[in-house]
Amino acid sequence: MAPIVSHISTRPRYLRSMENSLSHLTSSLISKDSDIMGAGKSDLFDSALAAVREHLGLDVTYISEISDRHMVYHHVCDPAGQDTPEDNRLSAGDKLAHKKTYCHNVAVGNLPELICDTQDIPLARDLSATKNLNIASHIGVPVQLKDGRIYGMMCGFSHQPNKTLNERDLATMRIFANLVGEHLDEKLRTESIIETKLRRVRDVLDSDALDVAFQPIVNITSMQTVGYEALSRFSGPSACTPDILFAEAGDVGCRTELELHAIGKALGAMPRLQPRQFLSVNASPSTLVSEDFLQLVSRYPLQRIVFEVTEHAQVGSYDQLSAALAPLRRQGTRLAVDDAGAGYASMRHILQLHPDIIKLDMSITRDLDSCAAHRALVRALVSFTQETRGHVVAEGIEKDSELSMLRELGVHKGQGYLLGRPSMTLPDLPEPDMRLRA
């Protein structure tokens, strides 16, 4: 191996290079745009290790985590490692018992943070890692989190003694370790949030702490109930509002599972509906295109089901969603776009999906009698549905004046507290038609 070049002789160039590296890494490590949970994190750590290795003239640099009995090596920078037998190199993912590692012994004070020649210190000389990894010089500092806890160590070593390593280099290592610690703190905090969200969703699913409330959808001309919207309600220690829990389920990859659970419960109430009443259920695009969804809804009378896509739901591929819904719509299933008027996405859903029903957001319904702009939008949507053979359902009707204005504007169906609050039970009906269970 070529001798290590002393970086003291090139100190001005070294400082300029170090300043550039620190500037780049500082902005990257604390960037709010960083992908905390993704590949960006690993790239940042790898960049920090590469910079330390280059500027301190080391052969290998690494970041370790202290566990109960082991040191776990998550990130290792060893460009020449592939040419070394596996037993004689340190690799990401390795786990070594505490007493065998430099990390542990430096962390507890058995070894100094800076060792220019491991043969000068008996404990270092006798460690199995010294021989196995050919460690001739070693430098390492703790990686500390904001709450004062020591996460692990940031270290490096060379295969030859390096008498040029000094306190200034140790200070440089601490700067990088502090930057890594800041990013790790953010990462661990995010992981804790994700874990909490996952536990909350799993608690609901595992304990079946999900109930369904039914809000009437009324023909505002005849004032007859024509259907119901199924609304999820959560109970138990993990209870929170549906919008929050469904959003958290999406964050942890469980949204489809939670939605299917809610849809299954809602559809189970269909035998309690009158023969001409329909049931409207909410589903995200990812659920609507899933095979499990198709298998679930195929057991029910599709001509009496309405599936609502909300304004907030992002559609990855309108072509894929339309293709998935096509066979269901041919069998009579109707599609609704929810929250129309609340934002740009709902209008795009309307143009791309050609829904049978446009559900007017309550923010538009509210004060409709006193807001000319809201009335103009409703007129436009009613005209649109007349051209496309659909109809408008107004949400959030709470005042008689709003109801009167909706009738005047040509809206025929609506829901809201004025017409009926959500209820955990459906009205008493004649003996249900058992054919609906088929």
Side-chain angles (χ1 to χ4, degrees):
M1 179 176 296
I4 297 173
V5 178
S6 171
H7 51 266
I8 294 178
S9 61
T10 58
R11 185 66 70 181
R13 179 183 176 187
Y14 162 79
L15 288 175
R16 287 195 301 272
S17 181
M18 179 62 75
E19 288 172 357
N20 291 337
S21 296
L22 284 172
S23 176
H24 169 72
L25 286 167
T26 300
S27 61
S28 298
L29 286 167
I30 64 176
S31 171
K32 297 301 181 183
D33 298 326
S34 295
D35 181 4
I36 297 171
M37 299 302 293
K41 167 184 65 64
S42 295
D43 291 344
L44 291 170
F45 291 157
D46 292 343
S47 295
L49 290 175
V52 170
R53 178 185 172 276
E54 175 186 354
H55 293 304
L56 302 190
L58 302 170
D59 292 312
V60 180
T61 49
Y62 59 90
I63 297 170
S64 64
E65 178 187 5
I66 300 174
S67 66
D68 290 340
R69 298 181 179 179
H70 298 87
M71 298 300 300
V72 183
Y73 299 87
H74 293 300
H75 303 272
V76 178
C77 178
D78 182 8
Q82 293 184 352
D83 299 327
T84 306
E86 186 173 348
D87 292 340
N88 298 112
R89 71 171 185 261
L90 191 64
S91 301
D94 284 351
K95 182 187 295 185
L96 299 176
H98 281 163
K99 64 180 182 180
K100 297 182 178 180
T101 67
Y102 275 79
C103 287
H104 172 73
N105 284 289
V106 172
V108 300
N110 293 336
L111 287 174
E113 293 179 335
L114 177 61
I115 305 173
C116 294
D117 189 341
T118 57
Q119 297 303 306
D120 292 340
I121 301 176
L123 177 57
R125 184 176 62 239
D126 296 339
L127 282 176
S128 58
T130 301
K131 180 179 179 181
N132 293 341
L133 301 177
N134 189 19
I135 300 176
S137 61
H138 188 277
I139 183 171
V141 297
V143 175
Q144 190 171 11
L145 303 178
K146 289 181 180 179
D147 62 4
R149 288 181 297 137
I150 301 299
Y151 169 85
M153 299 288 291
M154 185 173 189
C155 302
F157 61 84
S158 297
H159 300 308
Q160 297 180 19
N162 187 351
K163 299 295 185 178
T164 68
L165 291 174
N166 54 37
E167 289 297 326
R168 189 170 189 173
D169 298 319
L170 200 57
T172 297
M173 177 75 86
R174 289 195 182 97
I175 292 173
F176 279 96
N178 288 338
L179 292 173
V180 168
E182 287 183 18
H183 194 67
L184 275 169
D185 198 82
E186 185 177 0
K187 168 187 173 292
L188 293 172
R189 186 170 60 252
T190 302
E191 287 178 343
S192 177
I193 293 171
I194 294 295
E195 183 180 348
T196 299
K197 291 179 179 180
L198 180 59
R199 183 172 61 251
R200 190 150 46 213
V201 174
R202 292 280 12 137
D203 284 348
V204 167
L205 287 168
D206 296 341
S207 62
D208 192 22
L210 186 155
D211 296 306
V212 179
F214 301 90
Q215 184 170 31
I217 299 173
V218 176
N219 182 316
I220 62 175
T221 301
S222 66
M223 296 306 289
Q224 297 295 310
T225 299
V226 295
Y228 292 88
E229 180 179 359
L231 304 169
S232 296
R233 297 291 183 264
F234 302 107
S235 58
S238 298
C240 58
T241 59
D243 58 330
I244 292 176
L245 195 64
F246 278 109
E248 290 185 346
D251 292 340
V252 298
C254 296
R255 182 164 191 133
T256 293
E257 183 180 1
L258 184 60
E259 286 187 347
L260 289 175
H261 187 63
I263 292 170
K265 276 212 160 185
L267 295 181
M270 288 197 71
R272 296 292 301 159
L273 300 181
Q274 292 184 9
R276 294 188 178 182
Q277 291 177 338
F278 64 86
L279 187 65
S280 185
V281 296
N282 294 274
S284 63
S286 58
T287 296
L288 291 171
V289 300
S290 70
E291 188 63 34
D292 290 338
F293 167 78
L294 298 176
Q295 293 178 4
L296 172 63
V297 302
S298 63
R299 302 198 297 265
Y300 297 91
L302 293 170
Q303 71 278 9
R304 296 177 59 191
I305 303 175
V306 174
F307 296 115
E308 297 188 21
V309 180
T310 70
E311 190 274 343
H312 307 289
Q314 294 186 354
V315 178
S317 169
Y318 283 102
D319 290 341
Q320 181 188 18
L321 180 56
S322 296
L325 290 172
L328 301 180
R329 299 182 77 175
R330 284 196 293 269
Q331 297 180 66
T333 292
R334 286 176 291 172
L335 179 67
V337 168
D338 200 9
D339 305 325
Y344 168 76
S346 62
M347 305 309 295
R348 189 177 183 199
H349 291 350
I350 290 168
L351 294 174
Q352 294 287 337
L353 298 175
H354 311 291
D356 306 284
I357 300 169
I358 296 175
K359 299 197 74 175
L360 193 64
D361 187 72
M362 65 175 63
S363 65
I364 305 300
T365 302
R366 190 158 296 130
D367 300 325
L368 187 65
D369 52 325
S370 60
C371 183
H374 287 188
R375 292 195 296 273
L377 177 60
V378 174
R379 287 193 189 95
L381 290 175
V382 169
S383 177
F384 178 85
T385 55
Q386 290 172 347
E387 292 286 337
T388 58
R389 299 182 180 181
H391 62 268
V392 174
V393 174
E395 295 184 302
I397 303 173
E398 297 182 355
K399 298 190 300 184
D400 288 324
S401 56
E402 294 167 355
L403 184 63
S404 297
M405 183 56 65
L406 286 166
R407 288 171 176 157
E408 184 179 325
L409 293 171
V411 176
H412 300 301
K413 295 181 178 64
Q415 63 187 99
Y417 284 179
L418 181 67
L419 305 176
R421 290 176 177 268
S423 173
M424 305 305 292
T425 59
L426 291 167
D428 291 333
L429 300 173
E431 188 67 23
D433 186 346
M434 298 307 293
R435 290 174 296 176
L436 292 180
R437 298 184 183 276

